[in-house]
Amino acid sequence: MGEDTDTRKINHSFLRDHSYVTEADIISTVEFNHTGELLATGDKGGRVVIFQREPESKNAPHSQGEYDVYSTFQSHEPEFDYLKSLEIEEKINKIKWLPQQNAAHSLLSTNDKTIKLWKITERDKRPEGYNLKDEEGKLKDLSTVTSLQVPVLKPMDLMVEVSPRRVFANGHTYHINSISVNSDCETYMSADDLRINLWHLAITDRSFNIVDIKPANMEDLTEVITASEFHPHHCNLFVYSSSKGSLRLCDMRAAALCDKHSKLFEEPEDPSNRSFFSEIISSVSDVKFSHSGRHMLTRDYLTVKVWDLNMEARPIETYQVHDYLRSKLCSLYENDCIFDKFECAWNGSDSVIMTGAYNNFFRMFDRNTKRDVTLEASRESSKPRAVLKPRRVCVGGKRRRDDISVDSLDFTKKILHTAWHPAENIIAIAATNNLYIFQDKVNSDMH
């Protein structure tokens, strides 16, 4: 994972738009399915694009298949809430895949208010030889039907059909920021700024409110919910993070309303670092359980932290993502960048963590060796099979030839959304309207 041993290669990069970027093209979420065969992205225009990994070629059996567009569909449309005179954007906030039960795939997608369940199926055969219909599908004149025949299935070009199965609406007053499917494969939860609801996948007209932090008087509001996730193995446990930088682990066996948390994970603030921006930069923008279920990963504005479920007092690991921005918080506050919500991701073995930064940089931290690397997702480096070179940001002093000065970072280019293949070293990086898919040159676990 260091400069000398970095062997990451670009497997494929999907560049949606070459000339200009419209607001609708900006990718707003990225998610691998449970096998890693499919990758879904959602954008601000309400579209979902699904990529499928091509099978390995017979000529080169060890070469990894690339990801190609499998299906594209419009998931959400803009709506208008007439009671509140509010426009509801079509932007996809989150996508979550359901564990596959049969040949079809299912996913949940949500905008600010409405969650939808989609079913993705393949069809490569069509029935022919109907008794009552002709080849064009029109009904025959019954007087001409003199004999019965058995319809047969004929091969046809592969068709991917995406159909809406259920719409879960009217569950949230505030904007939905996260959804998470439970390990029982029957329920899922959705969280907004003040409440978390539990839904059954088969029931659309009601949900159970399991967390409600709304105060009786809104002037007493001191924090909001920023993200939430179910434990990967225990269907009764979930965690939610807050804008005050705390994590609350809840057990649904304890009470129907989980307002009283089982555990509170909170790091005491260092008084020497106290500033006007302390509360803003300590807000947790993302929380992810490790695959093992033993640890949690959180991202705030400047750091990523690893927490042990058995230790509430402080994180067991803290990694600086872009500490060089500490002196620039004033200008980042003025241009609203300080409110950017970066996501974080674990690799399949929970040994490496990844998160995004500015200037189309993303960071990786190896938990075993404590080495870290900064890489860039850009058109210049997106030639197929190109090797990614580590980047370094310098603050004043001497500069090496390839270093980039902190003053020349482009804050409009930001990597907020990332995803890691569940088993292999393949990562998906959303950089504005471009999706980059990188893979390790050596197809082995990164340790």
Side-chain angles (χ1 to χ4, degrees), residues 242-265:
S242 88
S243 56
K244 277 194 164 177
S246 59
L247 301 172
R248 289 175 175 85
L249 186 72
C250 300
D251 188 341
M252 291 192 291
R253 293 173 303 188
L257 192 63
C258 301
D259 285 355
K260 291 188 175 67
H261 50 267
S262 302
K263 289 187 176 185
L264 174 67
F265 300 83

Side-chain angles (χ1 to χ4, degrees), residues 66 104 234 299 330:
E66 297 188 348
H234 302 300
R299 171 70 205 261
C330 242

Side-chain angles (χ1 to χ4, degrees), residues 7-14 32 39 53 67 354 360 362 364 375-379 381-383 385-389 415 418-421 424-431 434-441:
T7 54
R8 218 157 279 97
K9 272 195 175 183
I10 293 185
N11 185 31
H12 191 62
S13 76
F14 171 69
F32 280 102
L39 170 69
R53 195 175 186 189
Y67 284 84
M354 168 176 65
N360 279 0
F362 58 99
M364 288 187 171
L375 300 166
E376 183 181 7
S378 68
R379 286 170 186 271
S381 62
S382 66
K383 311 277 189 301
R385 313 294 169 213
V387 176
L388 282 180
K389 290 192 178 73
I415 290 175
T418 58
W420 205 309
H421 189 289
E424 297 177 40
N425 278 331
I426 298 173
I427 56 173
I429 306 284
N434 297 329
L435 176 69
Y436 295 91
I437 298 173
F438 303 108
Q439 80 169 62
D440 230 356
K441 186 176 173 184

Side-chain angles (χ1 to χ4, degrees), residues 123 125-130 134-135 151-156:
R123 209 169 70 189
K125 292 184 177 66
R126 69 164 179 266
E128 281 185 11
Y130 284 112
D134 61 19
E135 296 304 316
V152 291
L153 289 171
K154 293 277 181 72
M156 60 177 266

Side-chain angles (χ1 to χ4, degrees), residues 34-50:
H34 294 75
T35 61
E37 181 209 355
L38 299 176
L39 170 69
T41 66
D43 65 25
K44 288 193 173 182
R47 291 175 300 239
V48 172
V49 181
I50 300 173

